[in-house]
Amino acid sequence: MNNFEQNLSKLEKLTLDIKRADISLEDALLDFEQGIQLARGMEKELDKIEGKIQLLMNQPDSSTGEAPELGLFSAVDQSGTEGEPVRGTRQ
């Protein structure tokens, strides 16, 4: 996870660099290309993590043989009642 956080920090820096008024078009393009590569790698890493979470959530409890209680992961709407389980919103 540390690698992911380092890549996120690099991506944030690249974003700030691109927004500079004094950056050349060539440098902005290089920063953009590097940012796209970082973002794609981070997306793959997030997909792997999501897969591991799905496996863990679907794995039955070894002591009871039942699937885990998902109540902790339910969304609470503004009226304070529980809604559908929260799902990833990445695109």
Side-chain angles (χ1 to χ4, degrees):
M1 188 62 90
N2 191 27
N3 191 32
F4 183 86
E5 292 169 356
Q6 289 172 345
N7 286 340
L8 181 59
S9 180
K10 288 177 190 177
L11 189 57
E12 289 171 345
K13 183 187 178 310
L14 289 169
T15 301
L16 291 174
D17 283 348
I18 290 172
K19 292 179 182 179
R20 287 187 358 239
D22 64 338
I23 192 168
S24 70
L25 182 58
E26 293 82 15
D27 288 341
L29 182 57
L30 288 173
D31 285 351
F32 182 78
E33 288 180 86
Q34 187 177 0
I36 291 294
Q37 290 174 347
L38 278 172
R40 286 181 180 154
M42 293 168 66
E43 185 174 21
K44 286 179 184 178
E45 191 172 344
L46 282 174
D47 288 342
K48 287 180 187 177
I49 291 169
E50 186 177 12
K52 287 180 184 179
I53 290 171
Q54 289 296 325
L55 284 173
L56 290 171
M57 294 304 298
N58 292 323
Q59 193 174 38
D61 184 340
S62 60
S63 63
T64 65
E66 296 178 10
E69 174 76 33
L70 300 179
L72 277 175
F73 301 102
S74 294
V76 177
D77 66 20
Q78 293 193 6
S79 66
T81 60
E82 288 189 21
E84 292 295 314
V86 176
R87 304 217 190 278
T89 57
R90 286 186 309 114
Q91 295 180 357

